[in-house]
Amino acid sequence: MDGQAAPVVGLHSRFFWGLRLYLVCTPTAMPILWALANPKMDEREVLQAMLDIDADLVADRQGLLLISDKGFASKVFENDLAMRGIELLRPSFKREKRRKGKGLRLDRLGAAPRPRLRVRRPVPFRN
């Protein structure tokens, strides 16, 4: 290249060209369902499609509890899950009344508690 530096190509793009991975796991992080979907799709639609495709998984188990984030908030979505026999546990918004399970931590659901990391200062080497 006759002594000139090559142009630097940025790694960040304002466009997202890939797929989004969706996982449904047990409290011990064992994957149960998974899907790769278009990132423009609504995550509630993706989960409903996952449950439609593997309907036997839900039908064989009674009293399933689905823990999610605030992105799954929708009365229509919660009613659809209730029709399937699934209870949705998610954080409440500030404008909502307090939902069941507010402040619930994962280690209380049966997963092993996470060990606390202790940072030690390095001991200076002496002769």
Side-chain angles (χ1 to χ4, degrees), residues 17-125:
W17 299 101
L19 297 172
R20 187 165 282 159
L21 174 66
Y22 292 89
L23 288 174
V24 176
C25 299
T26 65
T28 57
M30 172 69 90
I32 301 296
L33 295 173
W34 68 275
L36 290 173
N38 185 338
K40 294 180 181 178
M41 287 184 67
D42 185 18
E43 52 194 11
R44 293 173 291 220
E45 292 176 11
V46 174
L47 181 59
Q48 287 172 332
M50 290 167 62
L51 295 172
D52 288 340
I53 290 172
D54 205 354
D56 295 338
L57 180 75
V58 177
D60 294 343
R61 292 166 178 81
Q62 296 295 322
L64 289 176
L65 179 66
L66 182 67
I67 302 171
S68 71
D69 60 2
K70 292 180 183 180
F72 287 87
S74 167
K75 294 217 183 262
V76 175
F77 179 69
E78 287 190 45
N79 290 338
D80 179 57
L81 290 179
M83 295 287 288
R84 298 172 193 258
I86 302 172
E87 182 182 356
L88 181 67
L89 185 65
R90 66 166 178 80
S92 57
F93 289 108
K94 290 181 182 179
R95 67 180 186 271
E96 284 183 312
K97 66 178 184 177
R98 188 175 171 97
R99 293 179 57 92
K100 181 175 152 183
K102 174 79 173 168
L104 188 65
R105 293 178 44 178
L106 183 59
D107 58 359
R108 293 183 192 158
L109 291 175
R114 295 180 183 164
R116 300 219 183 253
L117 297 176
R118 294 183 181 178
V119 179
R120 295 182 183 171
R121 294 183 182 189
V123 178
F125 180 73

